[in-house]
Amino acid sequence: MHRLLLLGCLWLLAAPPASSIFQRPTGTPAPARLQYLLEPLHPTVHTQRGATATLPCVLRALPRNYRVKWSKVEPANYRENIIIITNGLYHKNYGPLSPRVRLRHSHRYDASLTITDVALEDEGRYRCQLVNGLEDESVSLTLHLEGVVFPYQPSNGRYKFNYHEAKRACEQQDSRLATYQQLYKAWTEGLDWCNAGWILDGTVHYPIINSREPCGGRLLLPGVRTYGARDKQKDRFDAFCFTSALQGQVYFIRGHLNFKEAGQACRNHGAAIAKVGQLYSAWKFSQLDRCDGGWLADGSVRYPITTPRERCGGLPDPGVRSFGFPSKEMRTYGTYCFVG
């Protein structure tokens, strides 16, 4: 009986279509001053992967016959995807976020959205909209994940990925394609990379700190240089991936192992051979620092340095160093393992 009553009330919410364009046409007036919704004190909420985050949305008064609609703008297509709709008494969840979202509802004016077990794809722009006839109003918030951006290319060389292959490659390495904001922030923190790579919105860029001849010439100023939007099927570049904190640990096993033996060594410890994104995350968030090259799941050999020193590559800046993709038969390296 209660289930039927709940379904009936959800039907009365009259949910709009699953997606709509989240942009105001050029030349239209700015939205009216908020009457019912409070401006968020902090429009950006900072979090990490695996955490629980709450996006605030609080009403100053309750209008009659209102609904609150939460939605998210996806940077890959700039469309608005509905997450949850409530009329204050009942609610309904939508889309892939559905199992991990709820309304905080700490008091009758609280329509804040809580996301549990935050995932990499949750980062982005959210909107809380009060739907109240002619008096609709909304506030926008940004969920920001602390993380690290790294360039990625496959074993067969640079510029081999179309957009969809780049997206899949990042996901296979426990990461996702970076947003422009993430790439720009990484550049301000020292990312200097000459090869152009795809980012999440389908554009192609490369970040340069030190201007030089092979990277556009010495006359161009430092910055995030852009190739703009490219053909997602035909054009081929590298990828810029983004990852955040781990729910687990990366550790090193010393030895003279080939690739197959490295994977078995991790399994013998109840772990899996680490992915590239997991090593970057351990370097960024756990300050993993080792001079030893070790196998990773994609067949590359890398090592993380947080305290630069002469005998560990000699480079002056911290980073994850790479030996590339040596022959998988070479019994020369240890291995980096990940246990969740």
Side-chain angles (χ1 to χ4, degrees):
M1 182 65 183
H2 292 296
R3 181 177 178 84
L4 292 175
L5 178 61
L6 175 60
L7 291 173
C9 292
L10 292 175
W11 175 260
L12 293 176
L13 292 177
S19 61
S20 58
I21 298 298
F22 181 28
Q23 289 181 319
R24 191 170 72 248
T26 305
T28 57
R33 184 175 179 180
L34 295 175
Q35 298 181 35
Y36 292 102
L37 294 177
L38 293 174
E39 283 284 359
L41 187 61
H42 301 290
T44 299
V45 175
H46 296 266
T47 188
Q48 294 181 354
R49 177 169 54 175
T52 295
T54 297
L55 299 168
C57 184
V58 178
L59 286 71
R60 69 174 85 238
L62 300 178
R64 297 183 61 185
N65 302 320
Y66 76 96
R67 288 177 292 143
V68 170
K69 179 181 73 172
W70 274 100
S71 53
K72 183 176 187 288
V73 178
E74 299 298 340
N77 54 25
Y78 298 101
R79 295 185 71 85
E80 177 186 354
N81 295 322
I82 295 170
I83 300 170
I84 196 168
I85 299 177
T86 180
N87 63 3
L89 294 175
Y90 305 97
H91 69 273
K92 185 173 182 179
N93 294 15
Y94 296 85
L97 266 174
S98 180
R100 296 188 290 111
V101 296
R102 57 179 171 82
L103 295 170
R104 182 174 63 179
H105 206 61
S106 59
H107 53 79
R108 62 194 298 245
Y109 300 101
D110 185 15
S112 302
L113 182 73
T114 294
I115 305 173
T116 60
D117 194 18
V118 170
L120 294 175
E121 60 269 21
D122 295 343
E123 173 157 307
R125 186 178 169 199
Y126 291 76
R127 182 166 74 145
C128 176
Q129 181 182 13
L130 175 71
V131 182
N132 183 35
L134 299 177
E135 300 179 51
D136 294 0
E137 53 190 74
S138 65
V139 294
S140 292
L141 301 106
T142 299
L143 185 66
H144 172 76
L145 268 69
E146 302 294 339
V148 58
V149 172
F150 61 93
Y152 189 75
Q153 58 184 222
S155 59
N156 57 342
R158 72 172 194 160
Y159 295 174
K160 300 297 183 181
F161 294 136
N162 66 23
Y163 172 82
H164 305 287
E165 291 164 344
K167 183 173 182 291
R168 186 162 57 251
C170 288
E171 291 168 354
Q172 289 171 346
Q173 296 308 315
D174 193 50
S175 59
R176 66 174 300 200
L177 279 175
T179 65
Y180 181 81
Q181 290 78 9
Q182 290 165 346
L183 181 62
Y184 184 88
K185 183 174 184 290
W187 168 72
T188 66
E189 295 172 349
L191 181 60
D192 182 280
W193 196 255
C194 209
N195 295 344
W198 294 102
I199 63 172
L200 187 58
D201 64 3
T203 57
V204 175
H205 309 267
Y206 63 103
I208 293 296
I209 298 290
N210 302 306
S211 298
R212 51 202 186 273
E213 287 305 326
C215 306
R218 298 180 182 275
L219 298 180
L220 286 180
L221 293 174
V224 179
R225 297 172 183 171
T226 180
Y227 287 6
R230 311 298 290 189
D231 189 307
K232 292 182 178 180
Q233 293 286 354
K234 297 179 181 178
D235 289 326
R236 294 189 173 271
F237 298 94
D238 292 345
F240 286 104
C241 305
F242 171 83
T243 191
S244 186
L246 286 174
Q247 292 183 289
Q249 179 187 8
V250 172
Y251 62 93
F252 182 74
I253 295 179
R254 189 182 300 275
H256 296 283
L257 309 171
N258 62 30
F259 178 71
K260 184 177 180 180
E261 291 167 341
Q264 187 60 53
C266 291
R267 289 191 292 273
N268 290 343
H269 286 75
I273 189 168
K275 300 177 179 180
V276 177
Q278 292 167 340
L279 185 65
Y280 269 92
S281 180
W283 165 75
K284 174 75 172 181
F285 292 99
S286 302
Q287 288 73 55
L288 184 62
D289 184 291
R290 287 204 68 101
C291 252
D292 307 278
W295 291 104
L296 296 177
D298 66 340
S300 65
V301 173
R302 306 174 196 250
Y303 62 101
I305 297 295
T306 57
T307 304
R309 45 210 187 269
E310 187 63 33
R311 66 182 183 86
C312 297
L315 295 177
D317 300 315
V320 175
R321 321 282 196 234
S322 175
F323 289 153
F325 294 84
S327 168
K328 291 184 177 180
E329 302 305 316
M330 290 182 62
R331 303 181 73 247
T332 309
Y333 306 102
T335 183
Y336 288 96
C337 305
F338 171 76
V339 60

